[in-house]
């Protein structure tokens, strides 16, 4: 019985969110809380995304503990959800610590929704 419970918990952890909104929410929440392993697992695997995310992690690690705590306890709000087409969604959000609107791009490839992290650092133009 314990083994069954342990294996069902393991399966749940590996399941990915089924929608662009769920993927975006989990990514935002994980990033704010410093849970980079989870946030990274939601990203589109691409060299530029990986490089930018590693730079973001370095920046976060060098942050004063007090600032990290503000991020961890921050709540966020989705300001706008734009479904560009059936495989691209843009989420505009802000958190109550920074109070600065930001955007992330969620893309669907091979029926899996992932965050295209480089979009956040681009001119925010939609690219496939």
């Amino acid at each position: 019985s314990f083994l069954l419970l342990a294996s069902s918990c393991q399966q749940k952890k590996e399941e990915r969110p089924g929608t662009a909104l769920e993927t975006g929410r989990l990514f935002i929440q994980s990033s704010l809380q410093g849970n980079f392993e989870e946030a990274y697992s939601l990203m589109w695997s691409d060299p530029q995304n990986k490089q930018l995310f590693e730079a973001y992690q370095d920046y976060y690690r060098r942050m004063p503990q007090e600032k990290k705590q503000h991020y961890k306890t921050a709540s966020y709000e989705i300001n706008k959800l734009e479904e560009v087409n059936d495989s691209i969604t843009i989420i505009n959000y802000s958190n109550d610590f920074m109070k600065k609107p930001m955007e992330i791009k969620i893309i669907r490839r091979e029926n899996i929704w992932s965050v295209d992290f480089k979009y956040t650092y681009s001119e925010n133009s939609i690219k496939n």
Side-chain angles (χ1 to χ4, degrees):
S1 163
F2 171 74
L3 189 59
L4 182 63
L5 180 63
S7 75
S8 71
C9 288
Q10 193 65 30
Q11 285 176 334
K12 267 200 171 85
K13 191 162 179 67
E14 292 170 14
E15 282 178 25
R16 291 184 60 104
T19 67
L21 180 59
E22 290 170 356
T23 301
R25 282 184 181 277
L26 188 55
F27 181 82
I28 293 164
Q29 193 172 22
S30 300
S31 297
L32 285 172
Q33 293 177 349
N35 184 349
F36 297 119
E37 192 175 307
E38 183 164 43
Y40 188 81
S41 76
L42 297 166
M43 275 188 359
W44 176 248
S45 186
D46 139 303
Q48 193 178 2
N49 276 343
K50 185 178 182 198
Q51 184 179 18
L52 284 168
F53 196 72
E54 285 171 359
Y56 173 73
Q57 286 180 82
D58 289 342
Y59 166 77
Y60 187 93
R61 284 188 192 107
R62 289 191 306 266
M63 236 185 255
Q65 197 58 43
E66 184 182 337
K67 192 170 183 181
K68 286 182 197 173
Q69 196 54 41
H70 284 298
Y71 277 113
K72 286 180 181 184
T73 59
S75 61
Y76 68 91
E77 184 175 309
I78 305 283
N79 303 318
K80 183 179 174 191
L81 180 73
E82 180 187 353
E83 294 176 343
V84 178
N85 58 39
D86 67 352
S87 59
I88 298 175
T89 299
I90 307 297
I91 297 175
N92 179 297
Y93 72 98
S94 49
N95 68 62
D96 63 3
F97 173 56
M98 287 287 286
K99 296 180 175 74
K100 173 186 161 199
M102 295 183 68
E103 289 188 337
I104 58 173
K105 178 180 178 183
I106 317 297
I107 57 174
R108 185 171 60 185
R109 299 281 189 271
E110 298 162 11
N111 252 359
I112 296 172
W113 289 103
S114 303
V115 175
D116 190 4
F117 193 63
K118 63 186 170 283
Y119 176 85
T120 303
Y121 294 94
S122 73
E123 313 75 53
N124 287 338
S125 56
I126 297 166
K127 301 175 193 126
N128 286 333

